[in-house]
Amino acid sequence: MAIGDTEITLAGNLVQEPALRFTPTGQAIATFRVASTSRLFDRQTGEWRDGDSLFLTCSAWRQTAENLTESGLAKGDRVIVHGRLRQRSYEAKDGTPRTAYEIDVLDVGPSLRNAVAKVTRIQRHTATTGGVGNAAGTADAPRTPADDPWASPPSTDTDDEPPF
């Protein structure tokens, strides 16, 4: 996050399933829309009613994008999205100026208000594996000092150079 970024956390329902695509350089991006509707209490009728709905387009990048699309979230699921609010100005086909608000996603996940979720951790890229471990693999195994390059014993060499 940079100074001046507007952080936003939004709870709402997926309007469409997240769509995964890749940029020409191979970066994953998942786009989806979230609808958030406020609830208002009407004192005259003594009942709750829906307020206006806010629809926001969200973009998740890289590993977050891939994890999101493999999570099984579908249209209608309630999610919580946290990210940077972005404003984009453009000109419509008829020539009128328009403004769009979007979220550059930092975190996204299912809301647990009316659902349950099972978390499956994945292994991140490492120098020894060269890739991402699968969900059923060793991702949840505890790390040992042998797995951690910073936990190596001090070198017996006489030079003071680090081991990397």
Side-chain angles (χ1 to χ4, degrees):
M1 297 286 289
I3 294 176
D5 280 347
T6 302
E7 287 188 56
I8 185 171
T9 300
L10 173 73
N13 294 349
L14 288 175
V15 177
Q16 64 192 39
E17 289 190 22
L20 181 66
R21 62 185 172 82
F22 293 88
T23 66
T25 60
Q27 294 294 323
I29 179 172
T31 55
F32 56 100
R33 289 183 49 83
V34 174
S36 181
T37 305
S38 60
R39 298 281 291 162
L40 306 168
F41 186 73
D42 187 339
R43 292 178 192 245
Q44 293 177 353
T45 64
E47 296 178 349
W48 288 92
R49 63 177 176 84
D50 287 340
D52 294 332
S53 293
L54 172 66
F55 291 85
L56 286 172
T57 299
C58 304
S59 299
W61 290 86
R62 299 173 194 78
Q63 193 64 51
T64 303
E66 293 183 44
N67 293 347
L68 172 62
T69 56
E70 292 196 23
S71 70
L73 290 172
K75 179 179 178 179
D77 288 343
R78 187 167 177 82
V79 294
I80 298 172
V81 179
H82 177 77
R84 294 187 277 284
L85 184 63
R86 299 287 189 214
Q87 176 181 325
R88 182 174 50 88
S89 298
Y90 63 98
E91 193 172 291
K93 290 180 182 178
D94 63 0
T96 58
R98 300 283 173 105
T99 302
Y101 295 95
E102 301 170 345
I103 297 178
D104 185 12
V105 176
L106 298 173
D107 286 304
V108 59
S111 169
L112 300 180
R113 180 179 5 170
N114 298 319
V116 295
K118 178 168 175 46
V119 176
T120 304
R121 294 183 186 185
I122 61 168
Q123 185 174 350
R124 298 287 178 216
H125 292 282
T126 64
T128 57
T129 63
V132 175
N134 63 25
T138 61
D140 290 328
R143 292 183 58 91
T144 63
D147 296 334
D148 188 356
W150 299 106
S152 60
S155 173
T156 57
D157 294 338
T158 57
D159 62 10
D160 291 327
E161 291 295 319
F164 48 92

